[in-house]
Amino acid sequence: MLLNYTVPPEDGGRTLNNILRTRLRLSATLLRRLKAASAVYVDGLPRHTDYRVSAGECVSADVTEPEADYPPEPGEIDVIFEDEWLLALNKPSGMLIHPSHSRFEGTLANRALYHILSHGGAACHAVNRLDRDTGGIVLFSKSGYIKNLMTGAITFKGYTAAVCGAPEPLSGSIELPIRRVREGDMLRAVLPDGAYARTDYQTSATDGRISLLRLSLFTGRTHQIRVHCHAMGFPVLGDRLYCS
């Protein structure tokens, strides 16, 4: 995949690095990879990123994907949406999104990669994440470049959860800091030195024993909904990690 940008008069004199970051919107990570591979060009010639461009020159960046570091795996997937660049899947509860050092196969990404490769694509990147026990829509991009653009474009994340008890008040905002309990431990907790986290909630239905909430995340801390709901006294129903 080759990105091209013809330099207009107003951009003449800018450094190649500036053009790549502001006009082609390359992330710092991707730009470092391209620099190491000498995959940045001006009028077809490799150039260092401190090169100053002139009006009319064509800046190119080869963002062709390296091979995925995990295997494709056939399996059933529920496709919600797909186009040239994006694939949205309905993730079932109980499935991991992405392989890890302890589990290399059997995840949604393995199946998504197989689907994308089978349809002529070359790569698979998860744009958003859900906990293993959470079901919902996961968006995959077919390019690391597109993933970077989409990550900055997603500004709202909405969820539905069944919780124990009834929140008081029935709607509100939870702003409590969250951090890992111990290094190497997956458990998180509300602790004074944690990172800022905000969750807004609205009760859709309740009988006093179980309530259905609509939740909006304004930060993306690991296990944020589960930790916030547990701390406020209405833990997520069926949450075996925090309510065992």
Side-chain angles (χ1 to χ4, degrees):
M1 178 180 175
L2 194 66
L3 303 177
N4 295 307
Y5 179 77
T6 300
V7 180
E10 60 268 25
D11 283 346
R14 291 192 178 196
T15 64
L16 185 54
N17 184 82
N18 180 273
I19 295 294
L20 294 168
R21 292 301 306 275
T22 64
R23 300 311 190 202
L24 292 181
R25 299 174 64 186
L26 300 186
S27 68
T29 300
L30 178 55
L31 184 53
R32 282 195 296 270
R33 177 167 70 81
L34 298 186
K35 288 168 64 176
S38 298
V40 176
Y41 312 92
V42 177
D43 285 344
L45 300 175
R47 294 289 187 182
H48 294 296
T49 54
D50 59 356
Y51 175 85
R52 292 193 177 275
V53 301
S54 299
E57 289 183 320
C58 180
V59 173
S60 302
D62 187 351
V63 295
T64 302
E65 292 283 326
E67 289 187 8
D69 58 0
Y70 57 92
E73 183 179 321
E76 183 180 349
I77 55 174
D78 183 3
V79 178
I80 303 298
F81 170 84
E82 183 174 15
D83 65 10
E84 182 181 1
W85 302 113
L86 299 170
L87 173 66
L89 301 180
N90 186 20
K91 184 187 90 67
S93 174
M95 175 176 276
L96 291 171
I97 287 182
H98 201 277
S100 65
H101 65 277
S102 60
R103 183 165 183 175
F104 207 54
E105 298 177 336
T107 73
L108 190 64
N110 293 107
R111 296 184 182 186
L113 178 60
Y114 181 89
H115 174 85
I116 290 171
L117 294 178
S118 299
H119 290 77
C124 176
H125 301 270
V127 176
N128 67 307
R129 307 274 176 155
L130 294 175
D131 293 341
R132 178 176 58 186
D133 294 331
T134 301
I137 296 176
V138 177
L139 186 64
F140 291 92
S141 71
K142 302 178 183 181
S143 159
Y145 174 70
I146 299 300
K147 176 191 174 180
N148 181 63
L149 298 183
M150 289 301 302
T151 300
I154 297 177
T155 58
F156 174 80
K157 296 179 181 180
Y159 299 83
T160 300
V163 301
C164 301
E168 180 57 46
L170 293 177
S171 63
S173 182
I174 307 169
E175 294 183 85
L176 296 171
I178 296 174
R179 73 164 170 85
R180 191 190 300 268
V181 174
R182 291 175 295 274
E183 190 62 35
D185 194 333
M186 69 184 303
L187 285 172
R188 268 68 175 176
V190 169
L191 294 166
D193 59 344
Y196 173 78
R198 174 185 166 188
T199 305
D200 285 4
Y201 69 91
Q202 174 73 47
T203 303
S204 300
T206 183
D207 64 2
R209 297 176 299 118
I210 297 175
S211 301
L212 187 65
L213 305 186
R214 295 180 63 84
L215 304 113
S216 304
L217 295 189
F218 291 84
T219 50
R221 310 303 174 197
T222 300
H223 300 171
Q224 180 174 320
I225 288 175
R226 298 155 75 182
V227 172
H228 270 175
C229 288
H230 184 266
M232 293 298 290
F234 45 91
V236 173
L237 189 66
D239 183 358
R240 293 171 292 180
L241 183 60
Y242 290 95
C243 303
S244 58

